[in-house]
Amino acid sequence: MKRLWPDSLYGRLVIILVAGMLAAQVLTSSIWYEVRHGQVLEIPTRLLATRLADLLLLDRRDPKQAVALMEALQAPDFQLLDAPPNPPPTAVGDADRNREELLREVVRERTGETPSLRLLGLELLDPHGQPATLPVLFGTTPSSGRFLVELQLPSGRTLYIQATEQQGWTSSSPLLLLFDYILRIYLLRIFVVVLIALLAVRLALRPLKQMAAAAEALGRDIHRPALRLDGPQEVRQAAQAFNAMQQRLVDGMAERTRFFAAVSHDLRTPITRLRLRTELLNDEAIRQRFRDDLQHMEEMVAASLDFVRSGELEEARERVDVGALLQALQADFDDLGVEVRVSGQARAIAVHPGGLRRCLQNLLDNAMHHGSGPIDIDVDDSREQLCIQIGDRGPGIAQALLDQVMEPFHRQDPSRSDGNGRYGLGLSIARGIASAHGGTLELSARPGGGLLATLQLPRSTVTS
């Protein structure tokens, strides 16, 4: 049963609407039964009304001749009774009262006067004279209507007439009738209701889909535009709460950054005092160790603050020429004696310029300190995303540790002691910047040896 129940709210609402429609259709099928029942009895009712009208006209002209004719008409399908049958017939239902009105209407049209008659009993019979069941309504064999009528003649005599009139033949087969009923009443209606339900549910759920997309985008860009406050009241309230939550997150992250910046600023004062006191030491070896430790502390504070700010790029987005940026980085590393080879071209893209530069700088620093030989940069640009791969020929990283090395302050081995990698923050900062742009940063083993860092920036998110 769970397999038939859709996982999406969209599918569940459609199934509920269609199932509700089918249930309502089944419950209202009695209406069709009554209509079909009346159609089958219409011809027998009109035939009987014609007979009754002839009796009334004859009795109005010559009562004695009318009595003789009625006695001559006695037959199994037309009987005159002196009194109502005992026991009395089953009471006529409200639906059969329409047959009584039809009798009066046809008699009035033929005689010019409204007759005094009552329909005391009415049964629909199958070809064998038994009470008809549902298949008879779909059948081609003739059915009959057995009437019990109380009629008052113009001469004053009251007659009780029990007559059986046949429906006649129909050219339609039962299968065609059944197919027509199912096609028009069920299949066509189901198709229309499903179509309307799909459109209506899609329109109703569109604000929820937008909110889900906004929640997913919020994880990539905390500064994304707020949701529009439109749609149904419940959706507007949810969007308002979502916007308030986003603003609280932005304020909380800004407060965290300000707090960390204040702590970093305050730490620099005692570090400066320690530097001054270090210079008063007489032993040069001890003095140099103090200098190294203080330098290490200051760099760690700066790197930590840089990591905190990596996911909060406050500068405005600008269209940046990626090719020119990579060439500038290539020139910087050439000055350091490191060969950087760039292949591929990219169109301009809207990014935070300083953030993207810092991200690529950290990746190149990581490749320089832990690799050997030239660094290769491959650029692949498409309509959907910009992909930049930076590969080195170093010892690489074990597959099981690829995710761990991008965690803050994680150092795989003592060799990570230079540059940004010395505190295990370089890759973490790069990943934070990629996430802030709505992209991803992944590490993998490079074919032929070494490490491959893949930066992907979706243009649908980051382009202006």
Side-chain angles (χ1 to χ4, degrees), residues 146-157:
R146 183 161 61 191
F147 301 82
L148 179 61
V149 180
E150 179 186 84
L151 176 65
Q152 186 174 4
L153 299 176
S155 60
R157 182 178 178 182

Side-chain angles (χ1 to χ4, degrees), residues 5 12 29 136 139 180 204 210 266 275 299 330 355 360 402 421:
W5 189 243
R12 292 183 182 184
S29 294
V136 175
D180 180 66
Q210 293 175 349
D266 292 343
R275 283 183 182 279
E299 290 177 353
Q330 183 182 36
L360 296 174
L402 287 177

Side-chain angles (χ1 to χ4, degrees), residues 276-287:
L276 294 175
R277 293 171 182 173
T278 298
E279 298 303 323
L280 299 178
L281 296 175
N282 295 324
D283 192 326
E284 177 62 25
I286 297 178
R287 187 164 56 242

Side-chain angles (χ1 to χ4, degrees), residues 27 122 133 249 344 383:
L27 293 176
L122 175 59
T133 56
L249 289 175
R383 292 184 57 185

Side-chain angles (χ1 to χ4, degrees), residues 34-35 37-38 41 92-100 119 122:
E34 293 177 359
V35 172
H37 188 267
L41 286 173
V92 178
D94 293 337
D96 291 335
R97 290 299 175 191
N98 295 329
R99 306 302 101 208
E100 183 178 88
L119 183 61
L122 175 59

